[in-house]
Amino acid sequence: MRKKLATGLIASLLCASMLSGCGSSDNGTTTEKAADTTAATEAVTTETKDTTATTGATEEIVTEAVEDDKAKADAVAALIDKIYVQERTDTTDADCKAAKEAWDALTDAQKELVEGENADPDYFGRDTGDASKDDPLNADNIGENEILVVSFGTSFNDSRAEDIGGIEKAIQKAYPDWSVRRAFTAQIIINHVQARDGEVIDNMEQAMDRAVANGVKNLVIQPTHLMHGAEYDEMKAVADKYADKIESIKISEPLLGEVGADASTVNEDKKAVAGYVVNAAVAASDYDTLDAAKADGTAIVLMGHGTSHAAKITYSQMQTQMKELGYENVWVGTVEGEPEDTSCENVLKAVHDAGYKKVILRPFMVVAGDHANNDMAGDDEDSWKSKFIASEFFDKVETEIAGMGRIEDVEQIYVKHLKDVIK
């Protein structure tokens, strides 16, 4: 703007000079005016050069500031990526502390620039609830009898307290003479919660070491896992390493019990869970019964995780169970699309082909964490909600974000499994 003003001023001065020359016969006066005009022009030119130099310097300062902001954001991203790992190391505690301190030192604008392989502004910035409502159950003074509740884990604070915490509290109530403790199998989640909220949760090895250090003689492990899948196998492998350090170690069944031979194989646990989760979905909806939802053209889609493990047949078994219970407007899908017929695309097509015009999406997961909030109910175009809406097959798509761990009847299935182990 200052350049334009200077240019305009030069033009005005020149114009004035020409008009003055034409209207006067006094050569001396004309010469003086010309000299004044030349001086003014030179002054403006000098000012223009100064303005250009100042603008250039300002732009350089701004560029340096932007680069500095990005450098600071990149440094935080690197620290987040360093703790976004599945293995705990000798520096994990210090790394978690360093990442949070570096994040806190950023301005709001700099925080928006944080981007790494796994890092983003939501890592520290997303509000997932009050972490103080959750009990990590990592105290000593355990005694001789311990029930170790093992979960994959979640960084969503409210879900951790309601879903995982709900199961732990139900177990403690059923077994008041036993000490209930917690372990997560996902170190990535443990690090996230520790760095962001300062809540320290034991991994499987730490929990087992704690049991040994406290002189536990009878240890019963209750996994909150859905099935005998990869997480269950990894948990059992760690427990087996402590067989000679603890007098008795027993492992209870996961939520859905034994896997079974094929897609048609169901059991009492699968039947019970099917009924409980569907009832919970209906209770959270605008309908009084599942039949009322069906009559109104509404389907319920339960989204599980999925797995490449042999236990993936469990999802097919749950679909079989839904049909055997007469739940014709209920489908079971998976984020991973394994088994193949449980993929979002295949489930969406099945619901559409069956003629339903409304859909309720709900997680078929013990915990309503990242998958439920993002993969199922998120606003990104690749979420299940977005895909169902984008298909334009349905008049209404709703989501219910609640894990099965907060359903009291489901909590009692874990209690029942423990009773089969604790004689």
Side-chain angles (χ1 to χ4, degrees), residues 211-274:
V212 172
N214 278 265
V216 172
K217 293 183 178 181
N218 302 302
L219 176 65
V220 177
I221 299 173
Q222 177 59 65
T224 66
H225 305 136
L226 208 63
M227 64 187 76
H228 286 268
E231 293 295 328
Y232 180 93
D233 291 346
E234 291 172 11
M235 174 202 73
K236 187 176 183 305
V238 174
D240 289 344
K241 295 178 182 178
Y242 290 80
D244 60 345
K245 298 179 181 180
I246 298 175
E247 190 174 309
S248 172
I249 299 177
K250 297 179 180 179
I251 301 178
S252 183
E253 285 291 315
L255 181 59
L256 298 177
E258 292 292 338
V259 175
D262 54 46
S264 65
T265 306
V266 294
N267 58 32
E268 288 303 311
D269 289 330
K270 293 182 177 69
K271 179 180 180 180
V273 170

Side-chain angles (χ1 to χ4, degrees), residues 18-178:
M18 292 174 64
L19 290 172
S20 297
C22 292
S24 175
S25 60
D26 187 341
N27 290 335
T29 302
T30 301
T31 301
E32 290 175 1
K33 289 183 177 180
D36 290 342
T37 299
T38 300
T41 301
E42 290 175 350
V44 172
T45 301
T46 301
E47 182 182 358
T48 302
K49 290 180 179 179
D50 291 342
T51 300
T52 301
T54 301
T55 301
T58 301
E59 290 176 350
E60 185 176 348
I61 292 172
V62 171
T63 299
E64 290 176 354
V66 170
E67 290 175 350
D68 183 57
D69 286 346
K70 188 67 170 65
K72 290 179 179 178
D74 287 346
V76 172
L79 290 170
I80 292 174
D81 284 340
K82 186 177 182 181
I83 59 176
Y84 201 96
V85 292
Q86 188 55 20
E87 183 179 354
R88 179 177 171 80
T89 69
D90 293 338
T91 66
T92 294
D93 292 337
D95 293 338
C96 288
K97 183 173 183 289
K100 183 59 163 62
E101 289 177 346
W103 167 264
D104 288 341
L106 296 180
T107 65
D108 289 343
Q110 290 168 345
K111 288 176 180 178
E112 291 299 317
L113 299 175
V114 172
E115 183 178 357
E117 183 177 354
N118 294 291
D120 60 30
D122 280 349
Y123 188 87
F124 283 118
R126 182 167 184 172
D127 182 8
T128 66
D130 186 356
S132 68
K133 294 180 180 179
D134 182 49
D135 186 348
L137 295 176
N138 59 359
D140 291 318
N141 301 316
I142 298 173
E144 294 185 353
N145 301 316
E146 176 187 351
I147 297 173
L148 180 62
V149 182
V150 180
S151 306
F152 178 81
T154 180
S155 62
F156 280 72
N157 293 332
D158 285 346
S159 296
R160 190 168 64 255
E162 291 188 62
D163 296 329
I164 296 174
I167 296 168
E168 293 165 343
K169 288 181 176 67
I171 290 172
Q172 185 64 85
K173 183 177 180 180
Y175 294 93
D177 297 330
W178 288 64

Side-chain angles (χ1 to χ4, degrees), residues 365-393:
M365 300 176 177
V366 175
V367 180
D370 181 72
H371 290 303
N373 283 274
N374 295 325
D375 295 318
M376 186 191 79
D379 293 325
D380 290 346
E381 63 180 15
D382 59 346
S383 76
W384 282 46
K385 181 186 76 174
S386 295
K387 287 181 178 179
F388 270 76
I389 293 173
S391 72
E392 299 184 351
F393 291 150

